[in-house]
Amino acid sequence: MSPLLSLVILVLFPRVRSTASVAPTVVLDNGTFTGTASTSDTQSFFGIPFAQPPTGDLRLRLPVTVSPYNGTHNVTAMGPACPQQKVTVPILTGVVDTIVSELFEDFYSAEFPDAEDCLTLNIIKPATATPTSELPVVLWLFAGGFEFGTPARYDGVPIVQRSIAMGKPIIYVSINYRLAAFGFLGGKEVREAGIGNLGLQDQREALRWLQRYIPAFGGDPTKVTIWGESAGAISVSLQMLANGGDTEGLFRGAYMQSGSPVPVGPIENGQKYHDDLVEQAGCAGASDTLACLRTVPYDQLKAAQDASPFFLSYQSLVLAWLPREDGLFLTDNPQRLVQQGKVANVPFITGDCDDEGTVFSLSTLNVTTDEDFSEYIATVWAPTAPASTVAALTVSYSSDVAEGSPFGTGILNALSPQFKRLASFQGDAVFQGPRRFFQQSLSGKQNQWAYLNKRFKATPFVGSFHTSDIQNVYKDGELTDYLINFVTDLDPNGDTVPAWPRYTTEDPNLMTLYDLPGLPATNITSDTFRAGAISVLTEISLEFPI
Ligand SMILES: *[C@@H]1O[C@H](CO)[C@@H](O)[C@H](O)[C@H]1NC(C)=O
Ligand SMILES: *[C@@H]1O[C@H](CO)[C@@H](O)[C@H](O)[C@H]1NC(C)=O
Ligand SMILES: *[C@@H]1O[C@H](CO)[C@@H](O)[C@H](O)[C@H]1NC(C)=O
Ligand SMILES: *[C@@H]1O[C@H](CO)[C@@H](O)[C@H](O)[C@H]1NC(C)=O
Ligand SMILES: *[C@@H]1O[C@H](CO)[C@@H](O)[C@H](O)[C@H]1NC(C)=O
């Protein structure tokens, strides 16, 4: 697979471990589940179904609660991923291809098996945890643009081990949720049927499952933190907006790495992709398109989905499949829900990488002139906005390469004359802008902390790229300890990490992470960069959501 793709997903394969001692078991209802002693101090229970299989007539339906368990089950391997959208990557040539390939050869990728029957979760717990332990719990939501991804790409064992070493043991849970056409189908038919945002509904169902079953593993259902990266972090933020901001007691904290309530509009904005899918699947002309889609053979529906644009295509972050206002899970556009204060009143941590937009701008290297840039914004990003709006954006995002992203790299990394400009615009439109809007809207209402990752800045062309903070949290960086502290105490601060002051509008502190030789690894900076441009962009996003 392409090195570029590997870069985006940053593979963190679970290591192969020799299984020690006797296999651990947990009893759920009348079912007995046998897991694995993954290390001497942790136990894993992989591939437990948390909802009825979303197949047959349950395809394109809200998740249905599992029946009480019975019998014996080996839960030693993760279940298949949910149906993955076919990956298409930009074709890079010459020096870009060479350098990107070389840099990321370690981040190789692999095919993960996928299947429609995919609603399973995975639990890693300290070996000593018993049903009376009442440990805090963290639920991980994987990345992948709502189009692909799987919990199998991430190894939670080092996090649980680190929590034990810190004297703050926690339980790690990761889940599958439906993706692309199976999880985020749009269109008016979907609104009418009340089946929008199924991937988010799956996440909610998993949270309900934890309320019922996590005590058997030693977890405290009143101490659940939801955590994710990219699409997973956007998901976390949208869980905060569901149900008018009422958490139903399902979670008490949120940790978001590169994802906030995004500027998306009504579910009818996805009509085009609905109609294309219906056509491709052979359901055109059916009186009930959803009923027809439920009868289409899996391979045929998967192929129809795969004909849609992937997130590394020319339209990039203007995703074909993504959460949208459906009147049910999201009762309004996410950013309007934030303005209305319909947000879960729980403490949270959020953060971004400095150059969020670079990877997503490798597919638009043929946008080379100022005219191309305006045209791209006008046709892809803001097709309903007047010319004056597009003009305001082109003024805010300068064509001066020294102002573009990777930021702070002068005239370097200008892959095309408009690459750094588009990277700056896209990073702010989907990541930095929505994060700042979210944080400032909630300032003073609940405790919040923010970070900015400037590590890997020297990476050619992509700088501190999207996902460059994942190793930090999965492989024993500061973000691991901040996570464990937060999951345990609802405050990231603790003995092992630098002090991290809270974020408010008056004092917008950013824990900034560096890897520059001879300089401190962290520093507190202020969230005031590109203030004018981001404020123009936020106003426009609110008016013209995608
Ligand atoms: C467990 O099995 C017992 C005995 O067969 C039965 O009475 C009970 O209803 C079962 N519980 C669940 C949750 O299925
Ligand atoms: C055991 O579980 C399966 C799957 O949920 C279910 O079909 C079956 O009826 C259950 N059996 C009993 C005795 O509860
Ligand atoms: C579980 O795995 C063990 C050891 O591999 C095997 O002996 C047993 O038959 C399996 N049980 C089930 C229910 O699959
Ligand atoms: C760039 O290439 C894409 C895909 O071939 C095409 O759709 C688009 O119009 C091109 N854009 C420009 C500015 O040439
Ligand atoms: C840390 O931040 C302070 C205040 O913004 C600044 O004066 C100082 O130079 C920074 N230090 C480093 C190493 O970046």
PDB file of all heavy atoms in Angstrom, residues 215-238:
ATOM      1  N   PRO A 215     -18.736  -3.359  34.696  1.00  0.00           N
ATOM      2  CA  PRO A 215     -18.403  -3.773  36.071  1.00  0.00           C
ATOM      3  C   PRO A 215     -17.844  -5.190  36.148  1.00  0.00           C
ATOM      4  O   PRO A 215     -16.966  -5.459  36.976  1.00  0.00           O
ATOM      5  CB  PRO A 215     -19.748  -3.665  36.807  1.00  0.00           C
ATOM      6  CG  PRO A 215     -20.485  -2.597  36.059  1.00  0.00           C
ATOM      7  CD  PRO A 215     -20.110  -2.826  34.612  1.00  0.00           C
ATOM      8  N   ALA A 216     -18.287  -6.075  35.274  1.00  0.00           N
ATOM      9  CA  ALA A 216     -17.786  -7.457  35.310  1.00  0.00           C
ATOM     10  C   ALA A 216     -16.282  -7.516  35.050  1.00  0.00           C
ATOM     11  O   ALA A 216     -15.605  -8.454  35.463  1.00  0.00           O
ATOM     12  CB  ALA A 216     -18.532  -8.313  34.278  1.00  0.00           C
ATOM     13  N   PHE A 217     -15.755  -6.502  34.364  1.00  0.00           N
ATOM     14  CA  PHE A 217     -14.318  -6.458  34.059  1.00  0.00           C
ATOM     15  C   PHE A 217     -13.541  -5.650  35.105  1.00  0.00           C
ATOM     16  O   PHE A 217     -12.335  -5.481  34.997  1.00  0.00           O
ATOM     17  CB  PHE A 217     -14.093  -5.826  32.682  1.00  0.00           C
ATOM     18  CG  PHE A 217     -14.685  -6.632  31.554  1.00  0.00           C
ATOM     19  CD1 PHE A 217     -16.016  -6.468  31.175  1.00  0.00           C
ATOM     20  CD2 PHE A 217     -13.911  -7.560  30.868  1.00  0.00           C
ATOM     21  CE1 PHE A 217     -16.560  -7.215  30.141  1.00  0.00           C
ATOM     22  CE2 PHE A 217     -14.450  -8.308  29.831  1.00  0.00           C
ATOM     23  CZ  PHE A 217     -15.781  -8.142  29.474  1.00  0.00           C
ATOM     24  N   GLY A 218     -14.267  -5.096  36.074  1.00  0.00           N
ATOM     25  CA  GLY A 218     -13.606  -4.271  37.088  1.00  0.00           C
ATOM     26  C   GLY A 218     -13.735  -2.789  36.834  1.00  0.00           C
ATOM     27  O   GLY A 218     -13.058  -1.986  37.485  1.00  0.00           O
ATOM     28  N   GLY A 219     -14.586  -2.388  35.872  1.00  0.00           N
ATOM     29  CA  GLY A 219     -14.728  -0.965  35.544  1.00  0.00           C
ATOM     30  C   GLY A 219     -15.872  -0.304  36.297  1.00  0.00           C
ATOM     31  O   GLY A 219     -16.816  -0.959  36.720  1.00  0.00           O
ATOM     32  N   ASP A 220     -15.739   1.012  36.467  1.00  0.00           N
ATOM     33  CA  ASP A 220     -16.790   1.810  37.104  1.00  0.00           C
ATOM     34  C   ASP A 220     -17.579   2.520  36.002  1.00  0.00           C
ATOM     35  O   ASP A 220     -17.052   3.413  35.326  1.00  0.00           O
ATOM     36  CB  ASP A 220     -16.132   2.839  38.042  1.00  0.00           C
ATOM     37  CG  ASP A 220     -17.170   3.669  38.794  1.00  0.00           C
ATOM     38  OD1 ASP A 220     -18.348   3.711  38.356  1.00  0.00           O
ATOM     39  OD2 ASP A 220     -16.796   4.293  39.808  1.00  0.00           O
ATOM     40  N   PRO A 221     -18.857   2.159  35.804  1.00  0.00           N
ATOM     41  CA  PRO A 221     -19.629   2.749  34.697  1.00  0.00           C
ATOM     42  C   PRO A 221     -19.893   4.245  34.878  1.00  0.00           C
ATOM     43  O   PRO A 221     -20.293   4.909  33.919  1.00  0.00           O
ATOM     44  CB  PRO A 221     -20.933   1.941  34.710  1.00  0.00           C
ATOM     45  CG  PRO A 221     -21.023   1.344  36.062  1.00  0.00           C
ATOM     46  CD  PRO A 221     -19.615   1.155  36.549  1.00  0.00           C
ATOM     47  N   THR A 222     -19.637   4.772  36.075  1.00  0.00           N
ATOM     48  CA  THR A 222     -19.817   6.227  36.257  1.00  0.00           C
ATOM     49  C   THR A 222     -18.535   6.993  35.930  1.00  0.00           C
ATOM     50  O   THR A 222     -18.509   8.217  36.011  1.00  0.00           O
ATOM     51  CB  THR A 222     -20.230   6.574  37.708  1.00  0.00           C
ATOM     52  OG1 THR A 222     -19.113   6.333  38.580  1.00  0.00           O
ATOM     53  CG2 THR A 222     -21.436   5.745  38.160  1.00  0.00           C
ATOM     54  N   LYS A 223     -17.474   6.258  35.560  1.00  0.00           N
ATOM     55  CA  LYS A 223     -16.183   6.927  35.291  1.00  0.00           C
ATOM     56  C   LYS A 223     -15.667   6.597  33.896  1.00  0.00           C
ATOM     57  O   LYS A 223     -14.554   6.106  33.718  1.00  0.00           O
ATOM     58  CB  LYS A 223     -15.150   6.498  36.345  1.00  0.00           C
ATOM     59  CG  LYS A 223     -15.471   7.010  37.743  1.00  0.00           C
ATOM     60  CD  LYS A 223     -14.373   6.655  38.715  1.00  0.00           C
ATOM     61  CE  LYS A 223     -14.716   7.187  40.102  1.00  0.00           C
ATOM     62  NZ  LYS A 223     -13.875   6.552  41.137  1.00  0.00           N
ATOM     63  N   VAL A 224     -16.492   6.867  32.890  1.00  0.00           N
ATOM     64  CA  VAL A 224     -16.098   6.585  31.501  1.00  0.00           C
ATOM     65  C   VAL A 224     -15.675   7.883  30.809  1.00  0.00           C
ATOM     66  O   VAL A 224     -16.377   8.892  30.880  1.00  0.00           O
ATOM     67  CB  VAL A 224     -17.267   5.944  30.719  1.00  0.00           C
ATOM     68  CG1 VAL A 224     -16.895   5.744  29.252  1.00  0.00           C
ATOM     69  CG2 VAL A 224     -17.684   4.623  31.365  1.00  0.00           C
ATOM     70  N   THR A 225     -14.511   7.842  30.168  1.00  0.00           N
ATOM     71  CA  THR A 225     -14.051   8.961  29.322  1.00  0.00           C
ATOM     72  C   THR A 225     -14.084   8.497  27.880  1.00  0.00           C
ATOM     73  O   THR A 225     -13.662   7.373  27.581  1.00  0.00           O
ATOM     74  CB  THR A 225     -12.613   9.373  29.706  1.00  0.00           C
ATOM     75  OG1 THR A 225     -12.626   9.922  31.019  1.00  0.00           O
ATOM     76  CG2 THR A 225     -12.047  10.410  28.738  1.00  0.00           C
ATOM     77  N   ILE A 226     -14.600   9.358  26.988  1.00  0.00           N
ATOM     78  CA  ILE A 226     -14.565   9.019  25.566  1.00  0.00           C
ATOM     79  C   ILE A 226     -13.406   9.770  24.925  1.00  0.00           C
ATOM     80  O   ILE A 226     -13.133  10.928  25.245  1.00  0.00           O
ATOM     81  CB  ILE A 226     -15.904   9.317  24.859  1.00  0.00           C
ATOM     82  CG1 ILE A 226     -16.442  10.708  25.202  1.00  0.00           C
ATOM     83  CG2 ILE A 226     -16.931   8.249  25.213  1.00  0.00           C
ATOM     84  CD1 ILE A 226     -17.718  11.067  24.437  1.00  0.00           C
ATOM     85  N   TRP A 227     -12.711   9.077  24.017  1.00  0.00           N
ATOM     86  CA  TRP A 227     -11.439   9.582  23.484  1.00  0.00           C
ATOM     87  C   TRP A 227     -11.314   9.140  22.027  1.00  0.00           C
ATOM     88  O   TRP A 227     -11.711   8.019  21.689  1.00  0.00           O
ATOM     89  CB  TRP A 227     -10.313   9.002  24.359  1.00  0.00           C
ATOM     90  CG  TRP A 227      -8.927   9.009  23.801  1.00  0.00           C
ATOM     91  CD1 TRP A 227      -8.284  10.050  23.198  1.00  0.00           C
ATOM     92  CD2 TRP A 227      -7.996   7.919  23.828  1.00  0.00           C
ATOM     93  NE1 TRP A 227      -7.008   9.681  22.852  1.00  0.00           N
ATOM     94  CE2 TRP A 227      -6.806   8.378  23.233  1.00  0.00           C
ATOM     95  CE3 TRP A 227      -8.056   6.607  24.307  1.00  0.00           C
ATOM     96  CZ2 TRP A 227      -5.681   7.562  23.083  1.00  0.00           C
ATOM     97  CZ3 TRP A 227      -6.925   5.802  24.164  1.00  0.00           C
ATOM     98  CH2 TRP A 227      -5.753   6.286  23.561  1.00  0.00           C
ATOM     99  N   GLY A 228     -10.798  10.007  21.174  1.00  0.00           N
ATOM    100  CA  GLY A 228     -10.609   9.615  19.785  1.00  0.00           C
ATOM    101  C   GLY A 228      -9.682  10.560  19.062  1.00  0.00           C
ATOM    102  O   GLY A 228      -9.270  11.598  19.607  1.00  0.00           O
ATOM    103  N   GLU A 229      -9.333  10.168  17.834  1.00  0.00           N
ATOM    104  CA  GLU A 229      -8.469  11.001  16.996  1.00  0.00           C
ATOM    105  C   GLU A 229      -9.128  11.185  15.650  1.00  0.00           C
ATOM    106  O   GLU A 229      -9.746  10.250  15.112  1.00  0.00           O
ATOM    107  CB  GLU A 229      -7.091  10.334  16.847  1.00  0.00           C
ATOM    108  CG  GLU A 229      -6.007  11.248  16.295  1.00  0.00           C
ATOM    109  CD  GLU A 229      -5.783  11.098  14.804  1.00  0.00           C
ATOM    110  OE1 GLU A 229      -6.185  10.058  14.252  1.00  0.00           O
ATOM    111  OE2 GLU A 229      -5.224  12.018  14.188  1.00  0.00           O
ATOM    112  N   SER A 230      -9.037  12.375  15.115  1.00  0.00           N
ATOM    113  CA  SER A 230      -9.563  12.701  13.787  1.00  0.00           C
ATOM    114  C   SER A 230     -11.073  12.403  13.730  1.00  0.00           C
ATOM    115  O   SER A 230     -11.809  12.952  14.539  1.00  0.00           O
ATOM    116  CB  SER A 230      -8.772  11.936  12.730  1.00  0.00           C
ATOM    117  OG  SER A 230      -8.997  12.471  11.463  1.00  0.00           O
ATOM    118  N   ALA A 231     -11.523  11.507  12.836  1.00  0.00           N
ATOM    119  CA  ALA A 231     -12.955  11.189  12.811  1.00  0.00           C
ATOM    120  C   ALA A 231     -13.414  10.709  14.184  1.00  0.00           C
ATOM    121  O   ALA A 231     -14.551  10.979  14.602  1.00  0.00           O
ATOM    122  CB  ALA A 231     -13.246  10.121  11.761  1.00  0.00           C
ATOM    123  N   GLY A 232     -12.519  10.037  14.906  1.00  0.00           N
ATOM    124  CA  GLY A 232     -12.855   9.580  16.258  1.00  0.00           C
ATOM    125  C   GLY A 232     -13.026  10.748  17.221  1.00  0.00           C
ATOM    126  O   GLY A 232     -13.898  10.727  18.089  1.00  0.00           O
ATOM    127  N   ALA A 233     -12.205  11.781  17.061  1.00  0.00           N
ATOM    128  CA  ALA A 233     -12.326  12.961  17.924  1.00  0.00           C
ATOM    129  C   ALA A 233     -13.563  13.782  17.549  1.00  0.00           C
ATOM    130  O   ALA A 233     -14.263  14.305  18.419  1.00  0.00           O
ATOM    131  CB  ALA A 233     -11.069  13.816  17.821  1.00  0.00           C
ATOM    132  N   ILE A 234     -13.826  13.895  16.259  1.00  0.00           N
ATOM    133  CA  ILE A 234     -15.058  14.573  15.833  1.00  0.00           C
ATOM    134  C   ILE A 234     -16.248  13.826  16.437  1.00  0.00           C
ATOM    135  O   ILE A 234     -17.186  14.429  16.960  1.00  0.00           O
ATOM    136  CB  ILE A 234     -15.146  14.636  14.293  1.00  0.00           C
ATOM    137  CG1 ILE A 234     -14.020  15.515  13.731  1.00  0.00           C
ATOM    138  CG2 ILE A 234     -16.519  15.167  13.850  1.00  0.00           C
ATOM    139  CD1 ILE A 234     -13.872  15.465  12.206  1.00  0.00           C
ATOM    140  N   SER A 235     -16.177  12.493  16.404  1.00  0.00           N
ATOM    141  CA  SER A 235     -17.243  11.679  17.000  1.00  0.00           C
ATOM    142  C   SER A 235     -17.409  11.987  18.485  1.00  0.00           C
ATOM    143  O   SER A 235     -18.535  12.132  18.976  1.00  0.00           O
ATOM    144  CB  SER A 235     -16.931  10.191  16.848  1.00  0.00           C
ATOM    145  OG  SER A 235     -16.897   9.812  15.497  1.00  0.00           O
ATOM    146  N   VAL A 236     -16.296  12.069  19.200  1.00  0.00           N
ATOM    147  CA  VAL A 236     -16.367  12.392  20.632  1.00  0.00           C
ATOM    148  C   VAL A 236     -17.114  13.709  20.822  1.00  0.00           C
ATOM    149  O   VAL A 236     -18.027  13.825  21.642  1.00  0.00           O
ATOM    150  CB  VAL A 236     -14.950  12.479  21.245  1.00  0.00           C
ATOM    151  CG1 VAL A 236     -14.990  13.115  22.631  1.00  0.00           C
ATOM    152  CG2 VAL A 236     -14.310  11.093  21.316  1.00  0.00           C
ATOM    153  N   SER A 237     -16.752  14.704  20.022  1.00  0.00           N
ATOM    154  CA  SER A 237     -17.393  16.017  20.178  1.00  0.00           C
ATOM    155  C   SER A 237     -18.883  15.936  19.860  1.00  0.00           C
ATOM    156  O   SER A 237     -19.693  16.619  20.493  1.00  0.00           O
ATOM    157  CB  SER A 237     -16.695  17.058  19.301  1.00  0.00           C
ATOM    158  OG  SER A 237     -17.068  16.929  17.937  1.00  0.00           O
ATOM    159  N   LEU A 238     -19.251  15.098  18.897  1.00  0.00           N
ATOM    160  CA  LEU A 238     -20.666  15.002  18.532  1.00  0.00           C
ATOM    161  C   LEU A 238     -21.447  14.208  19.577  1.00  0.00           C
ATOM    162  O   LEU A 238     -22.637  14.466  19.800  1.00  0.00           O
ATOM    163  CB  LEU A 238     -20.824  14.406  17.131  1.00  0.00           C
ATOM    164  CG  LEU A 238     -20.149  15.228  16.021  1.00  0.00           C
ATOM    165  CD1 LEU A 238     -20.336  14.568  14.661  1.00  0.00           C
ATOM    166  CD2 LEU A 238     -20.651  16.671  15.982  1.00  0.00           C
TER     167      LEU A 238
END
